[in-house]
Each structure stands twice: as C-alpha cells, then as structure tokens.
Amino acid sequence: MNAKTQRLIAEKPDKDNRRQAKFLYWQGWRVVRIADFLAEKETTVHSWKTRDKWDEYKPIDRVEGAIESRLVQLIGKEEKDGRDFKEIDLLGRQIERLARVRRYEQPGGHEGDLNPKVANRNAKPKKKTLRNNYSDEQAQMLRDAFMDELFDYQKTWYYAGLEHRIRDILKSRQIGATYYFAREALLDAVETGRNQIFLSASKAQAHVFKQYIMNYAADVADLELTGDPIVLPNGATLYFLGTNARTAQSYHGNLYFDEYFWTYKFQELRKVASGMAIHKKWRQTYFSTPSSLSHDAYPYWSGELFNKGRNKRDKVDVDISHRALKDGFKCADGQWRHIVTVEDAIAQGCDLFDIDQLRMEYSDPEYLNLLMCEFVDDNASIFGLMMLQKCMVDSWEEWSDFKPFAPRPVGNQSVWVGYDPNGENENGDNAGCVVVLPAATPGGKHRIIERHQWRGLDFESQANQILEITKRYNVVHIGIDTTGLGSAVYQLVRKFFPAVTQYQYTAELKVALVMKSYNIISKGRLEFDAGSTDIAQSFMAIRKTITASGMKMTFNAGRNSTTGHADLAWATMHALDKDALDAGTNTHSKSIMEIY
C-alpha cells in the first residue's frame, strides 16, 4: 500500500458502503435514511441487512466491530496529532477490556477475569481470621485491670486459687463474687489456655458469667468475645451450663459452681460437676449465699458428707464458724473454706454498702441470713425450701414458648400481674412486682416469667413500670395491696387498667392468700427460674404468727419499716389469686377477693 492510498484511507470517509451501512444501522439509523446517506438503493441495504444478519449480532460484537474500524482508520493516518494518539490508546484499552469480558463468558470464567486487582488479591495466600483473637498487649491490659480492681477479700480468693484445688466460699449478697470469678476465669483462660466451666442452677443464671466476661473484655481491652461456648485462639473454651450439665460429662476444666446452696438435688449434680475437674490441674470453686439447714448442700459445707461412710479414725472435725473461716482456712477434708459477711466486705475495702441503711431495711433474721451468712432453719416457714425447690426449673431449657428478649415474650397469651408496695414509708423496703403466665389447662403449672424489685421510685414511676408491662404482655389481671402506700399506685394504675384488683389486708385475707398459694405450690403447680433465688428467699421469710390481740392466726414476714424482703412472695400471691380455687374442675370458681 503506497503513501497516497494510506492518506486517502485515513483522511476520507470509509467507502465500503456495506460496512458503513451496518455501523449506521447499529447506531439506530433506519434503512431508508441509510440508503439516502450512502446513495444506495433501499432494496440493496435491506439485502445487506438480511444476508449479514445485522440484528443477530451481540452488543459486544457490534462494539468490537466499531472499535476495530475506527482504530484501523487512525493507525492508517500518515500524520497524527496528540488527539489521535490519545484516542488510539483509549481504543486499545477498550479492546483489552472486551477481551477480559470474552474470557469471563467462557466456561470456568470468574470475577478475576474482569478485574485484575481481584485476580491479584485472590492469588495471594489468605490469612485465616482468628475468632476472639487478642494481642499480648490486650492480655496484659486484662491482668492489670483485674489486679487493680480487687477488694482485699477478693485478693484472698485469688491467692487461694493459686494454692488450693477446692475453694468453698459462703458469702453475703451483692459483694461481687460472680463478677470476680468471671474475671478470674477469663484471665486464667487467656494466660494458661485452660478450659473454664460455669455451672449455675439455670442456664439463664450461668449466662450472667458470660455477660460479665464479654463486657469486661470489651471495656478493658477493647476485645470482642463471641460464641457459646467462647473459644479462645489458645484452645481455652469457656462453657456456660445450667442443670443440663448432667449430660455434659465430657467437658473438662476449672469448675465454678454458683449459688450451689440453691440448686435442686445438689449432691447428685456435684458428682457430675466435680468429675469435670477431677484431674489435679483443674480447680473447683463453690460459692453461694446460705439458704436452709435442710438443703442437701449443707452436709458438703459442714464436712458431714466427707465423714459419711468413713471409719471413726478417718473422720475429721471441720470448724465452720465465722471465727475459724473469716480469713480463709484449709480444713481437714481438703477444702479451703472462707466466710465473707457484708461487714467483712466493708472492712476489707468494699464501698458498695451503707451498713446503717441495711440494718434499717432488713429485720434481724433476714439481716443474719442474707448479709451475715447464717443459715435459716425453715421449720418455722410455711414455705419450706424443699417445697420451693420443686418449683425451680431451668427456664431456658424447659420453657420453649417463652422468649425473654422478644418484644412480646409470650405472644398474645394472657398473663397475671401482682404488685406489693413499699413499707410504711416511701423509702422503706422494696416494692415487688411479678408477671405470671397462667397454666394453659386447668390444674396445670403457672410460671413466674418476670420479677422486679423497685426501690427509690415514686408512685408515678412505679405505676409507669406496670404500664410498660401491659405493653409487652396481654395482661388480664393486676392485683395490688392497697393497705398502705400501695393505694396511690392503685389509683394511678386504674387510669390505664380499670379492672385492677385491690387487696385491703386483714388477718383473714392474709391467711386466705397464703393458703391458696400454699395449695398451688405444694401441688407442684408453680414454676420459676432456678436462678431467681430471691423469689425462694421471699417465700421462706413468711411465717405463721398470731395477731396483736392474740385472738387470730395470720402470716407475716415482719412487714414494717425495717423489713420487707417478702415483697416478691406477696406480689406473687396477688397474681395467683386469679387462679381458680377449684382448678382442675369444670365448675365455676371465684378468686379470694370475690369471696371476701
């Protein structure tokens, strides 16, 4: 091809009318317009269209043809300027992209064919993301914060854990034991890779450990822990178990047994639990507030269980007095025991309590049991611990229709609400409120699905709390004690729940409420989560007594300005009053308030 020809190709329009017609058609021109523009017959252009199958070309084929034609034209120009070179470069890159599209369309094509960056990224060896991973710096942050936050009695627990395999701790309420052992276990898992097993009366209670661990790791070291169980990169696994631990004998690790004095059939469960930590490298930790002398964990605490079945010469004496154990002591049966009362905790740096206020809030028996680690002799209680333990279940395992974190935990099922007000003054004891899901069939089991204790709230705030309950549940009954300050809450509740029932207490009414609840509980017709030990404690506080006149029998729990721990029990009775007196029959029945 001579220079003149090249110049004509580059500078003059393409004279291949058949090809030009095809490109114009793909640009959207009509055949008649193409024929006029190229000075061809219309029938000729129609013939080209049919024979060359212009309409059957794919979009990518049309673009490739147009790019090729223009690129060849530019290359054939003898003299090119900057715009020509720029267009040639652009068209060349478009051809490259179209080639990648072609490869992508072939069998085995993938995203890397379209985007080289993706292909390069995928070509590199991938690093596996480690779940719950942490750095050495984060591990040190956990240790530093742990040691900095300890009260003196918690330091005693820590150093005892380094030396003794079995720790057995009797403690006051609310001194931070669960929170402490959650942190201790996390630190041990991070530093040693040992498994940690948390065992409670219910799975819901066991997950209190989990929440403490997750929050602590996030707050202290910005470490997000997930999973159930939680598995760390060093192999340590943190298990959170309720009574389902009876079937979890394959687990092994350090054992933490929470509130074991409130666990049903403790000795049976302990055999399984202790087997999880039977190797000498594992340690066992039992800690709890005291319950009753009749509880089957008491022989384990007292040493009686150790002596059972042994020869006289092999039996040991275990001093479980506060004097002997207030500083911690390894007893002759191999257990290291420790008693921490609320007064001990205060003396050793715990600043969470106002001791004078506590003495005002609780009667002497309650103060000694709840805060000074003395066991209750429940022979005088109308509701004994052994009876109540049959009501305590693992709600997460057994209540399949209850979704505690859902906006409507039981859907549209009807519920009963019971409320027990403060004591004789607004700043007296707690106000208690319970939500009861009634039995689905006559004679079935009622379930306490929520319980609340409110302190320091004015009447309007307490009424608003009850209002919020009515938004989550289909409430059909609310029972309120209006003998004292509860009348104010009653008046406010009436505004949004006109059918609220009021209870003006008399000796006869108290007897009726107690006996009705006793009938329900003794027949095994009440259930609540085993982790709700405050409900059991509340019922155990109710005792038979005589009225001031000495003429009538009634029941109380020291209902005055110095006590009031039975608020959850009385609230439950107000809710259970909705139960039919002759439950299980088909005859009409009435509540106690309908009778009185």
Side-chain angles (χ1 to χ4, degrees):
M1 182 182 299
N2 57 35
K4 183 177 179 181
T5 303
Q6 290 181 344
R7 186 170 63 256
L8 289 173
I9 293 174
E11 295 178 355
K12 293 184 179 180
D14 188 349
K15 293 303 182 180
D16 184 351
N17 286 354
R18 186 168 182 170
R19 187 174 184 181
Q20 278 283 83
K22 178 175 63 176
F23 291 150
L24 291 172
Y25 180 76
W26 286 344
Q27 293 178 43
W29 286 42
R30 296 173 60 187
V31 171
V32 62
R33 291 286 310 280
I34 297 173
D36 289 342
F37 181 76
L38 298 177
E40 295 281 356
K41 294 180 180 179
E42 183 178 344
T43 55
T44 302
V45 177
H46 272 296
S47 176
W48 294 340
K49 173 189 171 186
T50 302
R51 283 182 291 171
D52 294 344
K53 300 179 180 179
W54 293 351
D55 288 327
E56 296 182 16
Y57 278 72
K58 296 179 180 179
I60 191 172
D61 297 326
R62 301 179 185 186
V63 172
E64 280 182 331
I67 290 176
E68 177 189 2
S69 176
R70 179 59 178 168
L71 184 60
V72 170
Q73 183 183 24
L74 289 170
I75 292 174
K77 288 182 68 174
E78 186 173 347
E79 296 181 4
K80 304 180 182 70
D81 57 23
R83 288 179 298 179
D84 294 332
F85 288 112
K86 187 175 181 179
E87 186 176 358
I88 289 172
D89 179 66
L90 174 62
L91 294 173
R93 283 188 275 119
Q94 299 310 311
I95 290 177
E96 180 185 350
R97 290 183 181 180
L98 292 174
R100 290 201 296 267
V101 173
R102 292 291 192 189
R103 287 197 301 271
Y104 177 75
E105 290 178 339
Q106 296 300 314
H110 55 82
E111 185 181 356
D113 294 329
L114 296 176
N115 188 345
K117 293 183 179 179
V118 172
N120 294 336
R121 183 167 64 243
N122 292 337
K124 297 179 181 178
K126 296 180 180 179
K127 292 184 179 179
K128 186 177 180 180
T129 301
L130 292 177
R131 189 180 190 183
N132 298 327
N133 195 26
Y134 53 86
S135 64
D136 292 341
E137 181 182 5
Q138 287 174 305
Q140 187 61 45
M141 292 168 68
L142 291 173
R143 167 161 285 281
D144 292 343
F146 172 76
M147 298 304 297
D148 289 344
E149 295 176 3
L150 297 182
F151 298 126
D152 288 346
Y153 57 90
Q154 293 173 331
K155 293 178 182 177
T156 300
W157 297 343
Y158 175 73
Y159 291 113
L162 300 179
E163 183 178 354
H164 304 290
R165 203 173 81 85
I166 300 179
R167 294 176 293 181
D168 197 347
I169 299 165
L170 193 67
K171 68 178 189 69
S172 164
R173 293 182 70 191
Q174 300 297 318
I175 62 170
T178 303
Y179 181 58
Y180 165 79
F181 287 118
R183 292 178 295 157
E184 177 193 87
L186 173 62
L187 186 63
D188 185 83
V190 167
E191 295 184 343
T192 71
R194 294 192 293 186
N195 296 342
Q196 315 292 324
I197 303 170
F198 302 93
L199 182 61
S200 294
S202 70
K203 194 165 185 178
Q205 185 67 21
H207 272 64
V208 174
F209 282 106
K210 180 181 177 182
Q211 200 60 50
Y212 281 152
I213 287 171
M214 293 171 63
N215 292 345
Y216 186 71
D219 294 343
V220 170
D222 195 24
L223 172 60
E224 182 181 1
L225 298 179
T226 60
D228 190 4
I230 295 174
V231 181
L232 301 182
N234 63 3
T237 302
L238 285 70
Y239 300 97
F240 306 93
L241 309 176
T243 53
N244 61 346
R246 290 183 177 89
T247 62
Q249 300 184 49
S250 61
Y251 297 158
H252 296 91
N254 292 332
L255 172 67
Y256 293 89
F257 200 147
D258 178 28
E259 293 291 3
Y260 73 94
F261 269 113
W262 297 93
T263 302
Y264 186 49
K265 294 184 178 181
F266 165 77
Q267 293 191 26
E268 175 186 322
L269 188 55
R270 187 192 69 85
K271 291 178 183 178
V272 177
S274 61
M276 300 178 186
I278 199 169
H279 294 165
K280 65 181 181 179
K281 68 176 181 178
W282 308 124
R283 64 187 176 201
Q284 302 175 33
T285 303
Y286 301 82
F287 62 101
S288 181
T289 53
S291 58
S292 165
L293 292 170
S294 64
H295 194 278
D296 64 347
Y298 188 80
Y300 180 74
W301 165 257
S302 67
E304 180 184 343
L305 186 63
F306 178 87
N307 289 329
K308 185 177 181 181
R310 295 180 186 271
N311 295 325
K312 186 175 181 179
R313 66 177 180 273
D314 295 328
K315 292 184 178 181
V316 300
D317 292 326
V318 178
D319 187 349
I320 56 172
S321 67
H322 177 254
R323 175 187 55 80
L325 302 179
K326 66 183 181 66
D327 296 321
F329 183 74
K330 184 177 181 180
C331 302
D333 63 352
Q335 290 191 47
W336 180 86
R337 290 179 172 84
H338 193 200
I339 295 178
V340 185
T341 69
V342 68
E343 294 177 5
D344 294 332
I346 293 172
Q348 297 184 51
C350 182
D351 56 359
L352 305 176
F353 303 100
D354 181 338
I355 194 67
D356 294 328
Q357 184 65 32
L358 290 177
R359 290 194 178 102
M360 291 179 59
E361 291 178 21
Y362 296 102
S363 64
D364 289 343
E366 291 171 341
Y367 183 84
L368 293 174
N369 172 235
L370 300 174
L371 303 174
M372 296 302 290
C373 300
E374 291 196 12
F375 288 86
V376 172
D377 183 356
D378 63 351
N379 288 329
S381 301
I382 185 68
F383 299 97
L385 179 59
M386 298 308 293
M387 179 195 298
L388 292 167
Q389 278 196 305
K390 296 177 181 179
C391 304
M392 303 169 76
V393 301
D394 193 335
S395 63
W396 284 18
E397 296 289 333
E398 300 192 22
W399 297 350
S400 59
D401 59 339
F402 175 53
K403 311 298 181 185
F405 304 113
R408 302 280 292 184
V410 293
N412 201 42
Q413 295 184 74
S414 301
V415 301
W416 305 334
V417 175
Y419 167 81
D420 186 63
N422 292 335
E424 294 181 348
N425 59 74
E426 187 174 339
N427 295 317
D429 59 349
N430 294 332
C433 185
V434 300
V435 179
V436 174
L437 179 65
T441 58
K445 294 185 178 183
H446 308 305
R447 292 174 281 172
I448 302 176
I449 56 177
E450 272 193 30
R451 93 278 191 202
H452 305 276
Q453 288 181 292
W454 300 317
R455 180 173 181 79
L457 298 181
D458 57 34
F459 302 132
E460 185 174 0
S461 297
Q462 293 183 38
N464 287 336
Q465 292 291 333
I466 298 174
L467 174 61
E468 290 302 313
I469 290 174
T470 65
K471 295 177 181 179
R472 297 196 305 276
Y473 296 97
N474 177 23
V475 178
V476 298
H477 166 73
I478 299 178
I480 296 178
D481 170 17
T482 59
T483 308
L485 298 178
S487 59
V489 178
Y490 167 77
Q491 295 297 332
L492 294 170
V493 171
R494 280 187 61 187
K495 295 180 180 180
F496 59 82
F497 195 87
V500 59
T501 302
Q502 61 173 319
Y503 294 85
Q504 283 283 338
Y505 272 12
T506 63
E508 293 82 3
L509 178 59
K510 278 190 174 183
V511 171
L513 286 170
V514 170
M515 297 313 297
K516 183 170 185 178
S517 294
Y518 182 89
N519 181 55
I520 293 172
I521 292 173
S522 63
K523 291 181 178 179
R525 295 187 53 232
L526 180 68
E527 290 183 345
F528 55 89
D529 189 83
S532 303
T533 59
D534 48 358
I535 295 177
Q537 289 171 323
S538 187
F539 273 101
M540 288 169 60
I542 297 177
R543 288 170 168 75
K544 184 168 63 176
T545 188
I546 302 297
T547 61
S549 65
M551 300 298 293
K552 297 179 181 179
M553 186 269 290
T554 187
F555 296 92
N556 66 31
R559 297 294 295 170
N560 54 51
S561 61
T562 64
T563 186
H565 186 65
D567 51 271
L568 290 176
W570 295 113
T572 300
M573 292 183 218
H574 301 157
L576 292 179
D577 183 42
K578 187 65 176 176
D579 179 70
L581 286 173
D582 52 357
T585 70
N586 292 322
T587 59
H588 176 68
S589 61
K590 297 181 180 180
S591 70
I592 288 173
M593 282 309 298
E594 289 178 301
I595 295 173
Y596 276 87

